[in-house]
Amino acid sequence: MTKELIVQHAAKTFLSNGYKTVTMDDVASDLGVSKKTLYEIFGNKEGLIRLSIEFQFQELRTVFEEAFNLNLDAISEMHFIMDKIRTMIGTPQHKNAVYQLQKYYAKIYRKVYVEQVVFIQNALEANIEKGQENGLYRKDVKASDLAEILIQVQSFLRSNEKSINDTEKMEYLSNVHFNLMLIGMVTPAGLEKLTQLETKTNEK
């Protein structure tokens, strides 16, 4: 059993059941290895959690790289990214896992949150600047400000305790915010493109 396979399995297990709930005994039992082996490799549970989160973060990076490599227009690219992220983090189990990470492993959470925010903000800024250059997004608001607003509100909606208890409402509010924000960002040409995209999506 390689270190990489242990990390991948632990990442999925933590997200499915919670960072606090899952023990090193659980991980060892699932993989058929001794708990001693896990401690020899990772030092402690926090060490395993850190590497598991790094693995998850790499999956997030892959989503953005995939979107950029498709050479889509900015609006289609933004929709692609948001749909992928919703698929990755949209389950109640995932939200509960993140809440547990935030509550019981605050130091790890803060480090991960900062790294992810910086990466996502840079990626969103690139998307917004692309849309502004191509006439799909308005130029009267800075790309960095728009990206920060989108991140901060979405993060709040997905990380507070009320969201964990009412995931359906959280998803609704998250979608409303994203759609209203996008409508506010687009030019007339962008609105036409957005309407075409939403029509195609609704027809599927």
Side-chain angles (χ1 to χ4, degrees), residues 69-139:
N69 289 336
L70 290 173
N71 294 318
L72 301 170
D73 64 83
I75 293 175
S76 299
E77 184 178 271
M78 179 74 82
H79 260 276
F80 179 89
I81 290 169
M82 293 303 293
D83 286 345
K84 288 283 189 177
I85 291 176
R86 287 192 190 102
T87 300
M88 291 173 64
I89 69 175
T91 66
Q93 291 85 358
H94 185 281
K95 296 177 183 66
N96 181 59
V98 173
Y99 177 69
Q100 286 190 20
L101 181 67
Q102 185 179 7
K103 184 173 182 180
Y104 298 106
Y105 302 96
K107 187 175 180 180
I108 298 175
Y109 174 81
R110 285 193 297 270
K111 182 177 184 295
V112 171
Y113 179 77
V114 169
E115 289 177 354
Q116 289 190 351
V117 164
V118 170
F119 171 76
I120 294 173
Q121 181 156 342
N122 288 339
L124 289 177
E125 281 184 38
N127 171 273
I128 295 168
E129 288 171 353
K130 175 181 176 179
Q132 289 173 334
E133 291 171 2
N134 295 334
L136 297 178
Y137 295 150
R138 294 163 44 189
K139 294 183 178 180

Side-chain angles (χ1 to χ4, degrees), residues 14-72:
F14 284 136
L15 286 179
S16 298
N17 301 292
Y19 290 93
K20 177 68 173 176
T21 305
V22 175
T23 66
M24 293 292 267
D25 283 313
D26 294 329
V27 177
S29 177
D30 286 347
L31 294 173
V33 300
S34 69
K35 188 167 69 171
K36 179 182 177 182
T37 297
L38 295 183
Y39 278 100
E40 287 175 349
I41 296 173
F42 302 103
N44 51 36
K45 183 178 177 181
E46 286 76 8
L48 179 56
I49 289 175
R50 287 190 188 92
L51 290 179
S52 297
I53 293 171
E54 287 180 12
F55 171 75
Q56 295 158 23
F57 190 22
Q58 183 55 49
E59 288 190 321
L60 181 64
R61 287 177 180 272
T62 301
V63 167
F64 282 88
E65 290 170 1
E66 183 181 355
F68 296 149
N69 289 336
L70 290 173
N71 294 318
L72 301 170

